[in-house]
Amino acid sequence: MQLEKGKPETMKPETIAIHTPGIGRDGAVAPSIQLSTTWQHGPAYENLHGFQYVRDTNPNVADLEARLAAMEGGAVAAAFASGMAAGAALLAALPEGCRVIFHHDLYHDFRNLAAATFPVRNIQAVFVDMTDIDALEAALSGNTALVWFETPSNPKLDIIDIAAVCRLAHDGGARVVVDGTFATPVLQRPLALGADYVIHSLTKYMGGHSDIQGGAVIAREDDAAARALFATRKVTGGVLSPFNAWLVSRGLQTLHCRMEAHCRNAAAVAGFLAGHDRVEIVHYPFLPGRAGEDIARSQMKAGGGMVSVEIAGGRDGALAMASRVRLILNATSLGGVESLIEHRASVEGPKPRSPQGLLRLSVGLENADDLIGDLDQALNF
Ligand SMILES: *Cc1c(COP(=O)(O)O)cnc(C)c1O
């Protein structure tokens, strides 16, 4: 059966992830990798084959973008060489003199990017706690162009009410960007709740195997602003490579299965940690009684694969635990098959924002009993 391109709304999400080829495959079941950097064109640069130069776009990137747009329910997706490049392309389009409101628990390199690039363009970065919707309302002003947050946030797993923020921001004339890296479209669909853009680090769950870097913006409308992303990508050179696009497309086909197992393991790990007397705070979206639990349960299908934990004894306690894990690896990044642990304050440079006692866990696909056993012995410092 030839699946009709452009009609993904008739399929369920798991099926969309597997059966949304953006390009023809000539009968091959698995897509091929097209590594050519250039295509033959007519004598006056007529586009004869749909593709001309790899930095503009290429077949594997187009294939991935069709899948991403369908999975998020967006009109169009643009894939980039990293999550940072994707976010930077959105920020590059901002007019001089505007404001951007960020949730204060923000991926640290977006904070660094704003600090490095906003002042020369006279753009003001405002950081508010968006778990407090009144605080956001007070911060919104006429020249706010974007409201930007992660939910769950990195690393504190704060939960932001997507629909409520979108209503407020849109009333104030601002657009809304949700960084959905932790949730993935399997657990949460921000565009359906009113967001204008979803961004992802494809490096994390979407790729899923700790072996590619990539990023994407998915836009609700295919308008001039969305088209500008492709123009920015072309001139800044931040397009995703064909091989990485192929690997992410492959990763997306198993994303639903992987997320189910990540969530099951993370819930078990969070439950274990919450009952341990060396643990002060567990940050996990579905943890019973936690702030934001109701919102998390209403906008997410499950709690996700990330758990942050604050260890008694602050920095010394956290580093003691991180130095004792045997199975779980000390490494940055997240969303791969193997479990990782990280002391975020050490990663964030000289002025860390994460609490010194905080360890972030990316709970992988190992057996949960093995992970809990490792954490149990590591907490025995
Ligand atoms: C990793 C990450 C990014 C940046 O993505 P890269 O692919 O590393 O550039 C952005 N947002 C969140 C929430 C992340 O975890």
Side-chain angles (χ1 to χ4, degrees):
M1 183 186 73
Q2 189 63 44
L3 280 153
E4 213 180 321
K5 199 185 148 199
K7 292 228 184 258
E9 64 272 19
T10 59
M11 295 186 275
K12 299 268 191 283
E14 295 84 348
T15 316
I16 290 172
I18 292 169
H19 283 293
T20 309
I23 54 168
R25 288 181 186 169
D26 300 327
V29 170
S32 44
I33 310 177
Q34 174 53 265
L35 293 175
S36 187
T37 57
T38 187
W39 281 260
Q40 294 178 53
H41 59 62
Y45 199 53
E46 294 91 346
N47 189 338
L48 303 179
H49 302 285
F51 298 94
Q52 289 187 297
Y53 186 53
V54 65
R55 174 156 46 75
D56 198 355
T57 184
N58 66 75
N60 293 101
V61 163
D63 182 80
L64 172 64
E65 289 171 343
R67 282 176 203 278
L68 291 171
M71 288 173 75
E72 284 288 3
V76 63
F80 290 83
S82 67
M84 287 307 301
L90 267 175
L91 295 175
L94 291 172
E96 280 208 12
C98 72
R99 306 164 85 227
V100 180
I101 305 182
F102 294 103
H103 176 56
H104 67 160
D105 190 41
L106 176 71
Y107 181 66
H108 72 124
D109 270 337
F110 282 127
R111 190 178 279 271
N112 293 338
L113 178 65
T117 62
F118 281 12
V120 287
R121 294 160 64 204
N122 193 27
I123 296 173
Q124 193 192 356
V126 179
F127 295 92
V128 304
D129 178 0
M130 292 188 202
T131 62
D132 177 357
I133 208 78
D134 296 336
L136 175 63
E137 186 162 21
L140 272 165
S141 74
N143 64 344
T144 302
L146 282 184
V147 172
W148 178 305
F149 59 95
E150 300 151 14
T151 186
S153 68
N154 185 358
K156 287 181 105 176
L157 288 300
D158 290 343
I159 299 297
I160 314 294
D161 185 334
I162 299 172
V165 169
C166 289
R167 273 193 301 275
L168 265 186
H170 290 160
D171 283 352
R175 290 195 168 200
V176 176
V177 181
V178 177
D179 183 337
T181 298
F182 275 26
T184 82
V186 170
L187 303 182
Q188 174 178 286
R189 302 273 300 270
L191 300 180
L193 297 171
D196 299 284
Y197 304 100
V198 181
I199 66 169
H200 287 288
S201 169
L202 304 175
T203 317
K204 315 293 171 54
Y205 290 105
M206 306 283 232
H209 296 76
S210 308
D211 53 10
I212 68 100
Q213 181 140 64
V217 181
I218 300 99
R220 189 150 49 91
E221 312 265 346
D222 187 1
D223 56 9
R227 290 287 121 196
L229 292 168
F230 293 98
T232 301
R233 183 176 76 179
K234 187 175 181 219
V235 296
T236 56
V239 74
L240 190 61
S241 76
F243 185 58
N244 283 2
W246 183 85
L247 278 173
V248 179
S249 282
R250 180 190 168 105
L252 292 182
Q253 296 182 312
T254 57
L255 185 63
H256 283 83
C257 296
R258 287 188 286 108
M259 288 314 291
E260 267 182 36
H262 281 298
C263 292
R264 200 167 52 239
N265 279 356
V269 163
F272 162 75
L273 291 169
H276 198 287
D277 57 11
R278 284 227 153 117
V279 170
E280 285 180 347
I281 306 174
V282 177
H283 301 278
Y284 187 67
F286 276 28
L287 202 65
R290 179 178 185 254
E293 184 203 351
D294 289 351
I295 298 165
R297 288 187 189 272
S298 73
Q299 68 188 21
M300 296 173 74
K301 286 206 179 107
M306 299 299 297
V307 180
S308 287
V309 60
E310 294 187 42
I311 307 297
R315 178 184 172 84
D316 290 348
L319 292 184
M321 179 179 182
S323 63
R324 285 180 56 89
V325 286
R326 295 181 191 142
L327 176 63
I328 300 169
L329 307 172
N330 274 273
T332 199
S333 198
L334 58 107
V337 297
E338 58 291 292
S339 292
L340 305 179
I341 196 164
E342 182 164 80
H343 183 243
R344 286 301 292 172
S346 294
V347 178
E348 290 170 354
K351 284 192 204 154
R353 292 193 45 91
S354 293
Q356 286 290 347
L358 183 140
L359 293 170
R360 190 187 72 185
L361 272 156
S362 173
V363 181
L365 302 181
E366 303 92 339
N367 186 290
D369 293 343
D370 291 336
L371 296 175
I372 289 169
D374 194 29
L375 292 167
D376 197 17
Q377 66 79 25
L379 275 164
N380 194 21
F381 52 81

